Amino acid sequence: MSTLCPSFCLQISLRNLNMGEEKEVMSHVISNPSFEVETLHQIGQDSWFQVGLVLTTTVNCAYALGYAGTIMVPLGWIGGVTGMVLSTIISLYASTLMAKIHQYGEKRHIRYRDLAGFMYGYRAYAIVWGLQYANLFLINIGFIILGGQALKAFYLLFREDHEMKLPYFIIIAGLACVFFAVSVPHLSALGVWMAVSTFLSIVYFSIAFALCLKDGINAPPRDYSIPGSSSSITFTTIGAAASLVFVYNTGMIPEIQATVRAPVVDNMLKALYFQFTIGVVPVHAVTYMGYWAYGSKSSSYLLYNVSGPVWLRGLANIAAFIQSIITLHIFASPTYEYLDTKYRISGSVLAFRNLSFRTVVRGGYLAITIFLSALLPFLGDFMSFTGAISTIPLTFILPNHMYMRKQISSLQKSWHWFNIVFFSCLAVAALVAAVRLIAMDSKTYHAFADL
C-alpha cells in the first residue's frame, strides 16, 4: 500500500479494521479534507519521462484525428490555427499552475478533490469530485465511440454491405476496454503499454499525414468557407472553442502527478514541457494537413476521408483502435483508484478476489459507458459538452483561484481574476452551444444510429 507524507497521513491501518470501523474512518477522512487519504495504487514510482508519455498519449490520442472536422471546419484557417496555438500556450500555463500547487500546505495531494477539499472544505471536495468524474465519464464515452468508429472504418475497407452497424463495433470496442481494465491494475502498471501507445500514435499520425498530403496534392481546389447560417456559425464557433480546451487538457493533473518521483514539482514540469513541445507537434501537423486536404468536408474521423492502399488505411484504423483502449484506461484510472481503495483491492492481478472484483466492478462501469456510447454516438458533441461542463472549470477556472492562495502580488491576483471571469463566461456560452448541438443531432439521428 502506498502512502504519502507519513507525518501527515492517518496513523491508522485500515487493513486491521472491520467493515464498520473502516466505514467510520473513511467517513472521517472524507468529512475532514485536511487529512490525506490513503491509496492502494502506486505513488511516486514513475520517472518524469514516463509521466510525459502519459500526458503526450492523452494529447496524441485518436481523438486528434477528428480535430480537422470539429475544430478547423467551424473556425476556418485563421480562427483554427490561432485557436490551436493559443490553446497550447494557455493550457501549458494552466497545467503548470496545477503542478506547482501539488504540494500545498506541506502536503502532497494525490487527487484533485483532495486538494480542493484541503483548500476550501468539504463542499468544494464534493463539487470537484462530481465535475471530475463527469468529465472523465464523458471522455470515456468518446473513446469507446472512437474505438467503434475505427473498427467500422476497418470493416468497410473490406466489405460494403453495412450489415455490421456502428453500435455493434462500439460494443466490441467496449469489451476490449473491459479486458484491458481487468488486466492492468493501475496507472503506473501501464509501463510498456506507454511505449506501445506512443508507437501506435506515430503509426496512425504518419499514415494520416501522408495520405492527406497525397490527397491534397491530387485534389481540385477545396472549399474552406465556414458552413452554416450566420446564427448557426455563432454556436458552432463557441462549440469549437470548447473543443479547443479539450484538446490539451485532462482535468486530472494531480492524479497523474501523483505517480511521478520526487522532486515532484520539478519532474512534473519537465513532463509538461515535454508534452507541450514535442508532444503537440503531431496534433498540429495532422489537424492542419487534414483540413488543407479536404477543407470543409473534413470528417470528425479523418480516416474516413483518406484514400490510398487498403492495407495502409487498415493499419491506421487498427492502430487508432488499440491506442484508444490504452488512453481510455488513463482517463478511467481515477475511478478505478477510488473503487480499489474503497474496497481494498491490491496485490496480484491474477488473485481470484482481485480478478473477480475488477471484472464485475470495472466491467459494470464500462458496460454503462458502452450502452450510452452506442445510444448517442455523437463524438463531436461530447467534445464540446465535456469542455463546457467540466474541462474549462477544472483546467482554467479553479486552478487560477487556487493559485491565488499563494503569496502573490496584487497585479498577479488581478490577472488570475481576469482568467476566472473570462473562462467562466466561455464555459456558460459553450454549454449553451453544446446543448443546442446535441438537441439538433438528436433530431437528425435516431438512437443507436449508424453514423
Side-chain angles (χ1 to χ4, degrees), residues 204-237:
Y204 61 68
F205 275 133
S206 299
I207 293 174
F209 186 90
L211 294 181
C212 287
L213 177 61
K214 175 188 68 67
D215 290 347
I217 292 174
N218 297 326
R222 274 77 69 193
D223 179 16
Y224 296 111
S225 61
I226 300 175
S229 62
S230 57
S231 59
S232 65
I233 287 175
T234 301
F235 285 104
T236 55
T237 299

Side-chain angles (χ1 to χ4, degrees), residues 22 40 57 91 127 137 204 213 293 304-305 307 333 358 363 412 418:
E22 179 177 330
L40 296 180
T57 290
S91 298
I127 292 173
F137 182 67
Y204 61 68
L213 177 61
Y304 281 151
N305 287 114
S307 61
S333 61
R358 292 188 179 100
Q412 288 176 305
F418 170 78

Side-chain angles (χ1 to χ4, degrees), residues 4 28 54 64 97 122 148 154 178 190 194 253 267 276 291 423:
L4 301 176
H28 181 67
V54 170
L97 289 183
Y122 177 73
F154 180 81
V178 172
L190 282 170
M194 296 315 305
I253 288 292
N267 281 333
F276 284 98
Y291 186 60
F423 285 108

Side-chain angles (χ1 to χ4, degrees), residues 404 408-421:
M404 287 194 294
I408 58 177
S409 67
S410 57
L411 181 60
Q412 288 176 305
K413 285 186 178 181
S414 298
W415 164 249
H416 289 296
W417 272 117
F418 170 78
N419 287 332
I420 291 168
V421 173

Side-chain angles (χ1 to χ4, degrees), residues 70-71 74 234-244 380 383-385 429-430 433-434 437:
T70 57
I71 293 176
T234 301
F235 285 104
T236 55
T237 299
I238 296 172
S243 297
L244 278 169
M383 288 172 57
S384 300
F385 188 77
L437 184 60

